[in-house]
């Protein structure tokens, strides 16, 4: 699936999501589980995932010819 197919807005360049929190119909039930960029998890808080990071992860995975990619916002994520 191309980036174009995964963007429900139809925008050629995916929009940047500045939201930090996302509405839930009921507590603990994130919305947008059908958004392919959420990997079926939906969005609740930007630290756990957001549409912009999802698009980035899918693009890197495609460039690396792999199924998944996980992006972290901190260099400390690279430590073991």
């Amino acid at each position: 699936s191309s980036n174009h197919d995964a963007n429900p807005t139809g925008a050629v360049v995916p929009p940047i999501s500045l939201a930090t929190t996302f509405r839930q119909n009921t507590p603990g039930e994130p919305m947008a589980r059908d958004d392919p960029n959420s990997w079926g998890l939906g969005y609740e808080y930007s630290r756990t995932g957001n549409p912009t990071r999802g698009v980035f992860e899918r693009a890197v995975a495609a460039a690396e010819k792999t199924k998944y990619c996980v992006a972290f916002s901190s260099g400390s994520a690279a430590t073991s």
Side-chain angles (χ1 to χ4, degrees):
S1 168
S2 71
N3 204 17
H4 157 87
D5 297 332
N7 186 347
T9 66
V12 175
V13 176
I16 295 175
S17 174
L18 301 177
T20 58
T21 55
F22 299 88
R23 183 170 58 95
Q24 298 180 9
N25 287 328
T26 58
E29 291 296 323
M31 296 180 66
R33 289 180 189 254
D34 57 340
D35 181 347
N37 295 314
S38 78
W39 304 103
L41 301 174
Y43 305 110
E44 55 182 15
Y45 183 63
S46 64
R47 286 188 182 180
T48 59
N50 70 42
T52 303
R53 191 164 75 216
V55 169
F56 173 74
E57 290 170 340
R58 289 170 61 95
V60 171
E64 295 291 328
K65 296 180 175 68
T66 188
K67 191 171 182 177
Y68 301 107
C69 168
V70 178
F72 296 92
S73 61
S74 170
S76 65
T79 63
S80 59

